[in-house]
Amino acid sequence: MRWTKTLVATLREEPQEAEIISHKLLLRAGLIRRLAGGLYTFLPLGLRALRKVEAIVREEMDRAGALEVLMPALQPAELWEQSDRLTTMGPNMFKLKDRHDRLMTLGPTHEEVITDLVSREISSYRQLPATFYQIQTKFRDEIRPRFGLMRAKEFIMKDAYSFDVSSEAADASYKAMYDAYKRLFARCGLRTKPVEADTGDIGGSSSHEFMVMAEAGEDAVIECSKCSYAANVERAERRVTVAQPAGDTPATLKVDTPDVRTIAAVSAFLKVPPAKLIKTVIYLADNKPVAALVAGDREINEPKLKRALDAKTLEIAPDNIVTEVTDAPVGFAGPVGLSIPIYADLSLTNAADMVTGANAADAHLLHVDLTRDANVTAYRDISVVNAGDACPRCNGELCVARGIEVGHVFKLGTKYTEAFEATYQDESGKAEPIVMGCYGIGVTRVLQAIVEQSHDNNGVIWPVSTAPYAVGLLSLDPSDTAVAATVTELEAQLEAAGIDVLVDDRDERPGVKFKDADLIGFPLRVVVGAKGLAKGFIEIKQRSAVESVFAPPAEALETIQKTINTMLAELTAGQP
RNA sequence: CGGGGAGUAGCGCAGCCUGGUAGCGCGUUUGGUUCGGGACCAAAAGGUCAGGGGUUCGAAUCCCCUCUCCCCGACCA
């Protein structure tokens, strides 16, 4: 392809709309343009890179034995009522009505559609296991779209669904997808880290997220400095050493704390370290009030609390509920005397001589012994893990990093298959629910994650597997007949060899071409100039390298092919 | 939805405080000189100053309302 025949919309200056580097580069290198918040057009270069990622995903799904299908993006809302997700997923879904006033949704994911299909088409154990996948546009009414492709309202996702006769068999399907993911991301040039994750609204028993570690990532990841333990902060646990019962705490004492409400303020006012305070937060779990307790130097982990309560919905209670439940203004809640269920963090077991809100205006209680003075319903792990906490698996220390979630694999069990009566008959003719797994990859997000992980000050550094063009062929003197002939010949050779090449045939100064080539990030840059050619060579340079190699035009093709093959081999080295 | 920032030429910005009828750089078009790391000279095109209302002889500028975009929190591939 010739530069002058396609649209290469590079930007010299940093676009004002972008904050993080990958977003800036996607715009500057001319891959995407914003239509509205969370909605992007893929320009020719961007679409090429996207197609490369899709092709890799497709190849690895096929290799793993998954079957490609394509399901409708537009779906009847009743389907979502059947799985009871119209409420849980509800606000995230785009809803519309057809001309017959029938409520439809734009699919944010496809568990319902695939399970409905499977319930109709699969009836025998002989048809299992089976895994289906698709690469398709998803729609989510995100609360806050951001960072370009990272969190968009419309995005491309690869979603796969496995169906098995038993949870043991499902584990094998899960493992197959997990391994396919590792290989697939490696082929895309991404370094990923699988971490234990929360299942969220999808549901199911356990899951792993594939994280691209990056400062710009939206997720906090907890990692052990010694062992391989890694988990999303929403899920992460820590080793808690439970205190012995104290027994000698003085009686509780109510003290005046006029308008002193926050942990920091109470700590300063009473001269007590935050760790000796108990933070009491009133939540509505499935619309019923509960109290959650953690030490004053910790935060409540809402996903963990939600799981501990086995609640469908969880939100901080509005002020009027807090006032009603605690009989005090907001800021003075405490566990003593509360009549609602109280869930305390595991680390508060046997906590004694603590400071809590008094459930009365402008007052706190000293010397609270949780076991003695409060009616705690249960002690559960409900606090956010902090850097420095103890690893739950070994004696190491935990640390915090950030990651971009590019893939997520779930063991779903029978949640959906039961809702849709997707059963199979076993050897004895007995109907059993099919055991399900689901597996997502944010294809458009992967594209941006690659850029986030692979760039320098001059622009993108594409892995050869996903670059819009593997080779940028710069014709420095397009009007020079020898140069033009050499370029045309090499272009034809490369295309015949199946290597993508973009020829910069513009009437521009060399500096402009070099800058654009670096910005776009061709893995290989091949330069043909009048001076070099007169000496009998052309220049070949890897984007990631400092040094160039020089070769006679006749050997250029072979050198380029070899280099590309080496780069491709490096991507899959060490993969299953 | 809560908190913060911003909308002026295709892009990046100044002008606003202290009202007087819009400017700079880049890009674009034309001509010329250049030509291995974002050249130079000359000429030119290009603006509902986000939208609506108000104050005023006069509003990009002051006041009110609305919209959009970006950033921080709840959502997630």
Side-chain angles (χ1 to χ4, degrees):
Chain A
M1 176 57 82
R2 296 266 159 160
W3 200 291
T4 53
K5 302 293 181 204
T6 182
L7 178 65
V8 185
T10 54
L11 267 24
R12 287 198 182 205
E13 294 181 88
E14 298 216 322
Q16 179 255 347
E17 75 185 55
E19 188 80 7
I20 66 172
I21 186 68
S22 55
H23 187 194
K24 285 179 181 171
L25 286 175
L26 287 175
L27 290 162
R28 284 195 63 207
L31 297 239
I32 60 168
R33 285 294 184 266
R34 190 190 67 216
L35 200 225
L39 299 173
Y40 290 85
T41 295
F42 281 82
L43 301 176
L45 254 40
L47 183 60
R48 289 186 64 93
L50 177 64
R51 293 289 185 240
K52 297 260 178 103
V53 174
E54 288 179 351
I56 291 172
V57 170
R58 200 166 262 129
E59 280 175 35
E60 294 302 330
M61 285 297 109
D62 291 347
R63 179 202 295 265
L67 303 167
E68 185 167 11
V69 294
L70 183 59
M71 295 180 262
L74 192 61
Q75 308 167 2
E78 299 93 82
L79 208 54
W80 290 81
E81 283 166 1
Q82 232 180 104
S83 61
D84 200 27
R85 278 217 233 148
L86 203 57
T87 41
T88 54
M89 201 82 171
N92 239 347
M93 294 172 71
F94 282 105
K95 294 171 194 143
L96 61 156
K97 285 185 174 170
D98 70 9
R99 63 170 65 195
H100 304 297
D101 216 33
R102 186 180 182 200
L103 188 60
M104 314 290 284
T105 69
L106 288 174
T109 174
H110 281 72
E111 282 80 14
E112 281 74 5
V113 180
I114 193 72
T115 312
D116 178 69
L117 179 81
V118 163
S119 74
R120 294 166 201 280
E121 305 302 330
I122 289 188
S123 47
S124 162
Y125 74 96
R126 292 172 192 272
Q127 294 170 288
L128 300 174
T131 297
F132 299 97
Y133 80 97
Q134 65 173 348
I135 295 175
Q136 197 236 24
T137 302
K138 300 284 192 261
F139 299 86
R140 289 183 191 174
D141 194 357
E142 292 289 344
I143 300 168
R144 181 151 90 90
R146 57 178 153 181
F147 300 151
L149 267 26
M150 211 69 104
R151 176 171 300 283
K153 285 180 166 165
E154 178 182 327
F155 62 98
I156 296 173
M157 175 162 143
K158 185 285 305 177
D159 47 324
Y161 307 89
S162 67
F163 298 89
D164 282 279
V165 295
S166 66
S167 69
E168 292 73 35
D171 286 350
S173 294
Y174 184 87
K175 178 72 164 54
M177 278 293 134
Y178 186 101
D179 288 342
Y181 272 35
K182 284 206 285 196
R183 190 181 152 85
L184 174 166
F185 289 128
R187 282 188 63 192
C188 289
L190 280 176
R191 298 180 301 277
T192 55
K193 185 179 197 73
V195 309
E196 294 177 18
D198 185 51
T199 54
D201 283 334
I202 303 276
S205 56
S206 76
S207 76
H208 286 87
E209 289 167 337
F210 284 77
M211 292 289 187
V212 171
M213 303 313 294
E215 270 307 305
E218 293 185 283
D219 293 278
V221 175
I222 305 297
E223 301 174 88
C224 178
S225 50
K226 270 195 177 170
C227 73
S228 63
Y229 179 74
N232 191 308
V233 71
E234 295 175 345
R235 171 108 205 166
E237 299 169 0
R238 64 187 174 116
R239 183 187 303 280
V240 174
T241 33
V242 172
Q244 291 303 307
D248 54 352
T249 312
T252 60
L253 178 65
K254 190 167 166 180
V255 293
D256 285 343
T257 51
D259 206 32
V260 179
R261 297 160 192 269
T262 64
I263 291 290
V266 174
S267 170
F269 186 82
L270 296 176
K271 302 196 171 47
V272 174
K276 293 302 286 179
L277 307 186
I278 290 179
K279 189 186 289 186
T280 305
V281 182
I282 310 298
Y283 281 91
L284 287 178
D286 294 331
N287 292 318
K288 288 194 204 95
V290 299
L293 270 45
V294 294
D297 58 348
R298 298 217 159 245
E299 296 298 320
I300 292 172
N301 186 322
E302 293 184 6
K304 277 160 78 172
L305 177 61
K306 192 172 166 184
R307 232 175 303 127
L309 295 170
D310 196 21
K312 279 206 175 97
T313 65
L314 181 74
E315 59 188 327
I316 295 239
D319 291 359
N320 63 316
I321 300 284
V322 175
T323 310
E324 192 181 309
V325 168
T326 65
D327 203 25
V330 173
F332 301 97
V336 180
L338 279 188
S339 55
I340 57 174
I342 299 173
Y343 288 82
D345 187 58
L346 213 46
S347 64
L348 291 178
T349 312
N350 294 328
D353 206 3
M354 304 293 279
V355 175
T356 76
N359 294 328
D362 299 328
H364 279 75
L365 292 180
L366 306 184
H367 312 310
V368 172
D369 181 321
L370 214 46
T371 316
R372 181 190 67 190
D373 302 320
N375 185 16
V376 175
T377 311
Y379 290 87
R380 293 286 153 74
D381 177 10
I382 59 167
S383 67
V384 174
V385 169
N386 294 336
D389 284 345
C391 174
R393 300 283 166 77
C394 73
N395 60 358
E397 206 172 83
L398 297 173
C399 51
V400 186
R402 299 200 69 82
I404 300 164
E405 180 192 356
V406 289
H408 201 158
V409 293
F410 299 80
K411 292 182 187 178
L412 288 180
T414 55
K415 169 175 172 177
Y416 295 93
T417 49
E418 280 178 23
F420 286 88
E421 293 173 22
T423 59
Y424 69 95
Q425 283 189 301
D426 65 14
E427 293 92 324
S428 64
K430 189 163 149 254
E432 295 284 351
I434 301 175
V435 182
M436 196 171 163
C438 80
Y439 316 92
I441 290 178
V443 177
T444 38
R445 185 182 282 180
V446 162
L447 197 67
Q448 184 161 346
I450 293 169
V451 177
E452 187 67 33
Q453 202 175 62
S454 185
H455 65 268
D456 64 14
N457 287 338
N458 295 315
V460 184
I461 304 175
W462 283 107
V464 69
S465 56
T466 54
Y469 291 91
V471 175
L473 177 50
L474 313 197
S475 176
L476 290 198
D477 304 277
S479 54
D480 180 291
T481 51
V483 169
T486 305
V487 165
T488 303
E489 169 69 14
L490 186 53
E491 178 188 19
Q493 286 177 353
L494 288 167
E495 283 179 351
I499 295 169
D500 302 321
V501 55
L502 183 63
V503 178
D504 191 346
D505 58 342
R506 291 177 296 172
D507 182 20
E508 281 288 356
R509 295 166 64 85
V512 174
K513 299 189 179 190
F514 288 131
K515 287 289 184 189
D516 269 341
D518 284 349
L519 177 57
I520 292 168
F522 304 104
L524 272 188
R525 186 189 76 191
V526 179
V527 181
V528 182
K531 284 180 192 164
L533 201 57
K535 291 184 211 156
F537 62 78
I538 63 180
E539 178 194 339
I540 300 166
K541 181 181 172 295
Q542 281 186 239
R543 177 65 176 80
S544 55
V546 183
E547 299 293 321
S548 302
V549 300
F550 297 89
E555 291 170 20
L557 175 67
E558 197 189 337
T559 308
I560 292 166
Q561 273 180 314
K562 274 187 182 162
T563 312
I564 287 178
N565 287 338
T566 305
M567 291 193 286
L568 282 171
E570 280 168 2
L571 291 175
T572 48
Q575 288 307 312

